[in-house]
Amino acid sequence: MSKGDKRQIVPGLIMIVVGIVFLLGNFGALDLDWEVLWTWILIVMGVIFWLGFVFDRSKDGLIMPGTILLTIGVLFNISVRYDWASLDRLWPFFILAPAFGFYAMYFFGKRDRGILVPAVILTIIGTIFLMGSIPVLKYIWPLLLIGAGVLVLTRPGSGNNNGEQ
């Protein structure tokens, strides 16, 4: 079997399995709950992207869409199960999903530091919105910010604790 033939095995098998599942669903042999199934399709697609990378490490560009699809698929799966009520608090994960993808590309890919810039920016924005959307966290993050400010002002060399007035 040539290298080109091996590349066609996985997509071919996936299509056969998906076709069998849907055919069994059409005949009533499987109870396919479309309300939840579509979220699992996103998750499986994310896993397929990741498997593409795992089997060929030179294709680190597959990490980003795989991570985004996994994150959003899990987010939608949670939302579908709880009548979408949780999405009003979890929506910042739409901003964090590409950040997770950038981090994954950095840690599993070529470790290009330039990838960390958008990752950190998206993480900060997403985390701020996430902390504001979860009732308990909206009180904690300002306290953490105040604590960080106090640490910055009282650290050695800040000018406030070395005898200068």
Side-chain angles (χ1 to χ4, degrees), residues 81-102:
R81 293 176 186 277
Y82 296 101
D83 296 323
W84 298 95
S86 59
L87 196 56
D88 65 341
R89 289 185 305 271
L90 298 178
W91 68 267
F93 281 99
F94 289 113
I95 297 170
L96 291 169
F100 297 158
F102 282 123

Side-chain angles (χ1 to χ4, degrees), residues 12 29 41 54 56 65 70 74 93 100 120 134 138 163:
I41 291 171
V54 168
D56 186 354
L70 279 170
V74 168
F93 281 99
F100 297 158
V120 169
I134 297 176
K138 74 179 182 181

Side-chain angles (χ1 to χ4, degrees), residues 94-129:
F94 289 113
I95 297 170
L96 291 169
F100 297 158
F102 282 123
Y103 286 123
M105 284 183 71
Y106 176 78
F107 288 114
F108 298 108
K110 296 178 182 85
R111 295 209 178 247
D112 176 10
R113 288 184 173 225
I115 289 176
L116 293 177
V117 173
V120 169
I121 292 170
L122 290 170
T123 300
I124 291 169
I125 294 169
T127 302
I128 288 170
F129 285 127

Side-chain angles (χ1 to χ4, degrees), residues 1 5-6 14 41 136 153 159:
M1 190 176 280
D5 293 337
K6 289 180 183 177
I14 290 171
I41 291 171
V136 173
L153 291 175

Side-chain angles (χ1 to χ4, degrees), residues 49-63 104-111:
F49 274 102
W50 265 95
L51 288 174
F53 166 71
V54 168
F55 289 120
D56 186 354
R57 293 290 182 145
S58 68
K59 296 181 179 179
D60 59 348
L62 297 174
I63 296 172
M105 284 183 71
Y106 176 78
F107 288 114
F108 298 108
K110 296 178 182 85
R111 295 209 178 247

Side-chain angles (χ1 to χ4, degrees), residues 3-14:
K3 188 175 182 180
D5 293 337
K6 289 180 183 177
R7 288 185 188 165
Q8 295 175 354
I9 290 174
V10 173
L13 288 175
I14 290 171

